[in-house]
Amino acid sequence: MEPVVAHSDRRPTLVMGARGSVGRFVIQGLLAEGVPVRASARRLESGQFPDGVEVFAADLTDPASLSPAFEGAGQVFLYAKHEGVGGVVEAARVAGVGRVVLLSSGSVVHPTSAGNAITEKHREVEAAFAAASDVVVVPIRPLVLATNALCWAHQVRAAGSVALYRPDALTAPIHERDVAAVACAALTGASEPVASGLLTGPARISQGDQVAAIGRAVGEPISVEELSRGAAMRWFSQFMEGWEGEAVLRFLDDAAAGNSPATPTVEEVLGRPAIGFDEWALDHAADFR
Ligand SMILES: NC(=O)c1ccc[n+]([C@@H]2O[C@H](COP(=O)([O-])OP(=O)(O)OC[C@H]3O[C@@H](n4cnc5c(N)ncnc54)[C@H](OP(=O)(O)O)[C@@H]3O)[C@@H](O)[C@H]2O)c1
């Protein structure tokens, strides 16, 4: 089958972070299109990737590790790692990579997210790539990943309940498969501004209703307890640094103020509606059992 590569570069496509929740679907999507694929992870273990995929060990914070994976690659999908981004841009330029599809964040183009620390780190990574004039860079900009709900899985499994900061906060979480499908479209030809629009799921849903959808998927009701800001900060500090926890709470405050939209970008890029949260919950029911 002729690969669906709309632009002229037929060299292999490297997917970095190919075990990530988005990256693994990027690999699948490209293989389904017949595109020659390379995969990388920081540490390689056997049986990680599908047959027929060329595999490399590569770390975005270690430029020397990038050259073998980048050499001969026409397109690269990678995560927005702030630390060492200058070395990544230079390695891509030296290797002659034609196009980088960067998993960035919708917060970069979402007005009320400006100034949030997580937003600004993504903005700086985008800017570092944008400055490399000989590499085409297409940022992919999801606003809220549905996979954020996986951080409730332990509580659901252990106690059948979830403690939430701002349970009424409305967001439009996007399924990781949709983020990956838009990334694949960008790797095979879709360009800015089409693929770089603000990416969301199809409709807004409160955090409390996300928990209810997970309960329906699992077949057991899940109760919700509301957390104060201080208690939420203590809870997030188990998984992330203080500045990052504060940034997440700010995103939730913003969503509770009604500022987190649902956009038609997925449908505009893919020609089909975005996947809803109910389907995401069904896909992930096993994580919550
Ligand atoms: N959470 C949200 O709502 C949200 C919103 C907007 C944007 N985002 C973006 O989406 C990202 C999360 O995507 P995800 O759910 O697919 O993440 P994930 O499942 O946690 O996977 C992260 C991937 O990044 C790779 N990685 C991390 N550090 C690396 C390094 N130094 N060098 C090379 N690869 C590295 C890991 O590769 P290894 O296999 O080597 O470990 C892993 O495969 C966030 O980091 C953020 O930038 C998130």
Side-chain angles (χ1 to χ4, degrees):
M1 188 176 76
E2 188 68 9
V4 186
V5 180
H7 60 99
S8 58
D9 197 326
R10 301 297 177 101
R11 292 177 293 168
T13 296
L14 169 67
V15 179
M16 299 194 70
R19 287 178 310 184
S21 58
V22 174
R24 74 187 63 168
F25 286 112
V26 175
I27 289 267
Q28 282 182 21
L30 294 174
L31 288 173
E33 300 277 10
V35 173
V37 177
R38 294 177 175 180
S40 78
R42 282 169 294 179
R43 279 199 315 278
L44 296 181
E45 290 155 29
S46 59
Q48 277 174 331
F49 300 115
D51 290 344
V53 172
E54 249 189 302
V55 175
F56 295 83
D59 186 330
L60 289 164
T61 63
D62 174 9
S65 74
L66 301 174
S67 307
F70 281 7
E71 200 59 52
Q75 300 71 226
V76 177
F77 168 84
L78 48 78
Y79 283 74
K81 191 85 189 163
H82 189 259
E83 184 191 350
V85 66
V88 182
V89 172
E90 180 59 10
R93 195 191 63 75
V94 168
V97 170
R99 173 178 292 233
V100 168
V101 172
L102 170 70
L103 177 53
S104 181
S105 169
S107 62
V108 170
V109 289
H110 180 238
T112 56
S113 296
N116 187 302
I118 292 176
T119 305
E120 296 312 314
K121 283 191 183 287
H122 283 88
R123 194 189 303 286
E124 285 167 29
V125 174
E126 285 198 14
F129 277 101
S133 55
D134 37 7
V135 182
V136 174
V137 180
V138 185
I140 300 298
R141 295 176 172 139
L143 190 57
V144 179
L145 296 181
T147 45
N148 291 343
L150 290 173
C151 74
W152 305 329
H154 178 73
Q155 295 176 68
V156 172
R157 288 195 303 265
S161 69
V162 178
L164 295 177
Y165 177 64
R166 300 226 183 250
D168 294 335
L170 285 171
T171 61
I174 183 166
H175 198 303
E176 60 275 20
R177 266 196 281 139
D178 278 346
V179 179
V182 172
C184 285
L187 288 162
T188 55
S191 57
E192 283 195 86
V194 181
S196 294
L198 186 64
L199 273 187
T200 73
R204 300 200 299 173
I205 174 172
S206 72
Q207 293 201 93
D209 286 344
Q210 289 176 45
V211 172
I214 292 166
R216 287 192 297 278
V218 170
E220 295 281 348
I222 302 166
S223 58
V224 169
E225 174 203 336
E226 184 160 0
L227 283 179
S228 69
R229 208 170 201 286
M233 194 61 199
R234 283 192 293 282
W235 187 74
F236 279 118
S237 70
Q238 298 175 78
F239 319 106
M240 49 185 78
E241 292 182 45
W243 68 267
E244 209 176 350
E246 179 58 35
V248 171
L249 296 188
R250 276 192 60 186
F251 281 132
L252 290 171
D253 290 338
D254 196 39
N259 291 327
S260 195
T263 67
T265 309
V266 167
E267 188 151 8
E268 286 167 4
V269 177
L270 302 177
R272 55 135 177 100
I275 303 167
F277 192 84
D278 282 351
E279 190 170 337
W280 182 90
L282 287 169
D283 286 348
H284 289 271
D287 292 308
F288 295 91
R289 285 198 178 105

